Amino acid sequence: MEYQHNTVANYADMGNGNRLHYHDVGSGDPVIFLHGGGQGAGGWTNWQRNLQVFADAGYRAIAPDAFGYGLSSKPADGNFDFQTLVDCLVKLLDQLGLKQVTLVGNSMGGAMAIRFAQDFPQRVKKLVVMGPGGIGPMERYLAMPAIQKLKELGQEEGGFSKDKLRRFLEYMAYSNDDVTDQLVDERYEVACTQPPRVFQTLSIDDLRPRLHLLKTLPTMVLWGRDDRACPVESGMEILQECDNARLIVFSQCGHWVQYEKADLFNRLCLDFLQE
């Protein structure tokens, strides 16, 4: 498929004719950037203000598109549950020969990063999460204003449209200035290729019972005070179980710390990685 607003980078074979798309820039210690969910989400749209900065600082910055997202495979009858997304991440890292990495994850990607660190603690050097999912049952997230807004837009006449996507993205960010025409075009182009099952089969596990497995892992938790998708109060639940963690909350910031506060996010993360 040819894309007008998205750039094709690299592909890894996931088996059964499926592929995982990923951006890979720079060289050095690998940092894996895991994006959030929602219509049109992908590695580039989440991390376009960060990847090159990390590459310029001497890191190998890798941003995969999760199975069913970005430019990765999206079979109409596919299973896009949380376990499948994590399994694909494991396959990608194995194919790239990456034995130990730093994980940076936002929202759904934050939950994937935590789950990976719980399952493979020896493979994670440091962990950075922004407004992660999985800190509580799915019901907690389904009750958040962002999900209610998504339902409201879905009930409007006319079906899915670029205008509705823009209105949802503006609800996710604190400032509408961050929802650029470029971002809407990139995500809408991808959203039009996503089958309903991508969202129908996703249910993120409650990761709290195993948070103690991250007790000594160097962890940084970043959150927007005005996050309407993931409750900022959940940050303290991570700190209660993790003894080598810090929590930083940004005022006038919504769900995408790495995008809305990109310069500060980049500095904080690079300092954390270099400690």
Side-chain angles (χ1 to χ4, degrees):
M1 175 178 176
E2 293 187 2
Y3 295 91
Q4 181 179 354
H5 301 288
N6 289 271
T7 302
V8 177
N10 310 282
Y11 281 99
D13 182 18
M14 294 291 108
N16 298 317
N18 295 313
R19 302 188 299 171
L20 212 67
H21 178 261
Y22 64 99
H23 290 269
D24 188 349
V25 295
S27 60
D29 287 344
V31 182
I32 312 301
F33 295 82
L34 304 176
H35 66 80
Q39 288 97 332
W44 177 249
T45 57
N46 251 211
W47 307 107
Q48 57 188 267
R49 297 180 176 180
N50 318 111
L51 296 180
Q52 192 60 51
V53 176
F54 279 74
D56 292 343
Y59 293 94
R60 183 182 179 185
I62 301 172
D65 295 338
F67 185 54
Y69 296 81
L71 309 191
S72 292
S73 296
K74 311 175 188 68
D77 60 348
N79 185 7
F80 306 95
D81 65 9
F82 189 57
Q83 185 63 55
T84 299
L85 301 188
V86 175
D87 288 346
C88 286
L89 173 62
V90 175
K91 288 182 182 178
L92 174 64
L93 298 189
D94 288 346
Q95 287 191 31
L96 295 178
L98 301 177
K99 295 182 179 180
Q100 189 178 53
V101 299
T102 290
L103 294 174
V104 182
N106 175 225
S107 193
M108 179 185 79
M112 291 173 61
I114 292 172
R115 172 66 178 275
F116 185 93
Q118 290 171 335
D119 290 350
F120 308 100
Q122 73 281 3
R123 298 188 67 172
V124 181
K125 186 175 182 180
K126 292 187 177 182
L127 177 67
V128 181
V129 292
M130 295 80 65
I135 311 302
M138 276 296 289
E139 290 77 14
R140 175 182 294 184
Y141 294 88
L142 293 174
M144 289 295 290
I147 303 303
Q148 299 306 309
K149 183 67 173 180
L150 192 60
K151 290 181 179 178
E152 175 188 321
L153 292 172
Q155 292 170 355
E156 291 183 2
E157 294 183 359
F160 182 68
S161 68
K162 185 180 289 189
D163 174 68
K164 288 181 181 179
L165 177 61
R166 177 185 292 275
R167 288 159 59 194
F168 176 68
L169 297 179
E170 289 176 346
Y171 202 75
M172 298 291 278
Y174 178 80
S175 171
N176 290 352
D177 292 341
D178 282 311
V179 183
T180 63
D181 291 343
Q182 174 189 341
L183 178 65
V184 175
D185 288 341
E186 289 168 349
R187 290 193 59 143
Y188 185 71
E189 184 173 52
V190 168
C192 290
T193 70
Q194 291 179 295
R197 282 183 60 82
V198 170
F199 309 107
Q200 293 170 350
T201 61
L202 176 64
S203 180
I204 297 175
D205 301 337
D206 187 345
L207 303 172
R208 292 176 301 173
R210 299 174 71 218
L211 279 177
H212 66 277
L213 298 176
L214 313 182
K215 196 171 188 67
T216 61
L217 177 67
T219 300
M220 183 162 66
V221 183
L222 307 175
W223 226 297
R225 179 198 66 187
D226 308 287
D227 191 336
R228 295 169 171 169
C230 296
V232 65
E233 296 81 9
S234 298
M236 286 304 301
E237 296 189 64
I238 299 176
L239 261 63
Q240 287 168 0
E241 297 291 339
C242 302
D243 290 345
N244 195 9
R246 67 197 69 174
L247 170 65
I248 303 173
V249 179
F250 301 79
S251 60
Q252 298 186 340
C253 181
H255 191 49
W256 306 317
V257 173
Q258 78 281 2
Y259 187 84
E260 299 175 63
K261 303 288 185 181
D263 290 343
L264 183 53
F265 168 86
N266 292 334
R267 292 199 303 272
L268 287 169
C269 282
L270 289 173
D271 285 348
F272 177 62
L273 267 56
Q274 292 162 7
E275 288 177 1

